[in-house]
Amino acid sequence: MDLQLTGKTALVTGASMGIGRAIAKGLAAEGVKICIAARRKPLLEELAKELVAAGGARPDIVEIDMMGPGAPEKLAKAAQQALGSVDILVNSAGGSKPALPIDAPEALWEESMTLNFTRIRQLTHALLPGMIGKNWGRVINISGKSEPERMIAAHPAKAAIHAWSKGLSREVGKHGITVNCIPPGRIMSEQIRRKYSPEFRAKQSAEEIPVGRYGEPEELAALAVFLASPVAGYITGAVLPVDGGMRRYAF
């Protein structure tokens, strides 16, 4: 299938590792000119070398901490300057910490909501005028579980992403812009390997994941690249999990 992506431009956040990295590589393979952003520049440089070695163009790199003051506006400006305009935005930056006690400091809740929702919303809204001006755009949010078993601060932020994305999709659909969310299940990444032992991963795969294994970043990236394409223009406001049918995984 020709995804008709050649010549499009994309900004991918959280591109240094895991899912964001795989999406950047997938888009580049389809002829998309990309700007990659994350905190760790050496990892972005490694990705850039891989893309060039694969025969693609060198991506533009922005080293940025999304928690910094004015980070969304700074990143939007840098990406627009590098690419001319941003057709596709992939919001893959984020993070999660262990469950919080009931008396957790307010700062921990604010930190998680800022990183996992507010910064995504601010970056998206900073780039929307350009998409509206071209009457075409794609926003893809890598979200997550929004009905957890425990009180993890990132999960209310993921629920906010889902609700905001649905509302936004209704506002911008008339401009040829789609907005979709992809909640990952257990996708192998640096964070997954750090948090879960091989023994736990094997047990969970056998007991809770119908396909019997953890997923790979490239398997989620395939959906993201499709949603970024012109051929997916009638899919918007959707929450499309890539989780191997994982049980106890509500949205």
Side-chain angles (χ1 to χ4, degrees):
M1 178 186 291
D2 178 9
L3 295 181
Q4 304 170 27
L5 277 166
T6 301
K8 296 293 186 184
T9 62
L11 168 61
V12 182
T13 68
S16 61
M17 295 291 290
I19 291 171
R21 185 186 187 91
I23 294 173
K25 293 176 72 172
L27 289 170
E30 293 294 329
V32 177
K33 182 180 179 183
I34 62 173
C35 176
I36 50 178
R39 290 177 300 166
R40 294 178 285 184
K41 189 174 181 180
L43 293 178
L44 295 177
E45 292 287 359
E46 288 179 14
L47 174 56
K49 291 178 182 177
E50 286 184 28
L51 296 179
V52 172
R58 178 177 171 81
D60 292 286
I61 291 175
V62 179
E63 179 184 13
I64 192 164
D65 182 351
M66 291 303 291
M67 289 297 287
E73 294 76 15
K74 292 175 183 176
L75 178 54
K77 183 177 180 180
Q80 288 170 326
Q81 288 178 340
L83 300 172
S85 62
V86 176
D87 299 317
I88 301 158
L89 169 62
V90 179
N91 287 306
S92 187
S96 180
K97 294 183 178 180
L100 297 176
I102 294 174
D103 60 350
E106 186 66 19
L108 294 180
W109 288 100
E110 291 180 358
E111 177 187 39
S112 185
M113 184 60 73
T114 298
L115 175 62
N116 293 295
F117 172 62
T118 305
R119 289 295 189 259
I120 290 171
R121 176 182 57 79
Q122 290 170 336
L123 177 59
T124 302
H125 283 255
L127 291 171
L128 278 174
M131 295 182 184
I132 291 172
K134 295 183 70 173
N135 210 39
W136 198 91
R138 298 287 185 265
V139 179
I140 301 165
N141 301 310
I142 308 305
S143 56
K145 182 187 294 189
S146 58
E147 294 185 15
E149 295 82 15
R150 295 175 297 161
M151 197 167 63
I152 296 175
H155 292 163
K158 306 301 184 180
I161 289 175
H162 294 164
W164 161 75
S165 296
K166 185 66 175 182
L168 180 61
S169 73
R170 291 173 172 167
E171 292 290 333
V172 300
K174 62 187 176 185
H175 299 293
I177 301 168
T178 65
V179 185
N180 292 292
C181 297
I182 305 177
R186 296 300 192 213
I187 304 295
M188 291 302 294
S189 66
E190 177 188 52
Q191 186 179 49
I192 286 289
R193 290 184 174 89
R194 185 173 64 249
K195 290 175 64 176
Y196 304 114
S197 68
E199 293 76 18
F200 175 87
R201 297 199 302 264
K203 184 175 187 294
Q204 186 175 53
S205 295
E207 296 178 358
E208 298 182 24
I209 305 176
V211 302
R213 62 177 177 84
Y214 277 36
E216 296 296 330
E218 292 76 14
E219 293 176 297
L220 187 148
L223 175 58
V225 173
F226 173 71
L227 291 175
S229 73
V231 299
Y234 204 61
I235 303 173
T236 193
V239 177
L240 302 168
V242 177
D243 63 4
M246 187 174 177
R247 300 182 179 93
R248 298 193 293 120
Y249 196 76
F251 300 94

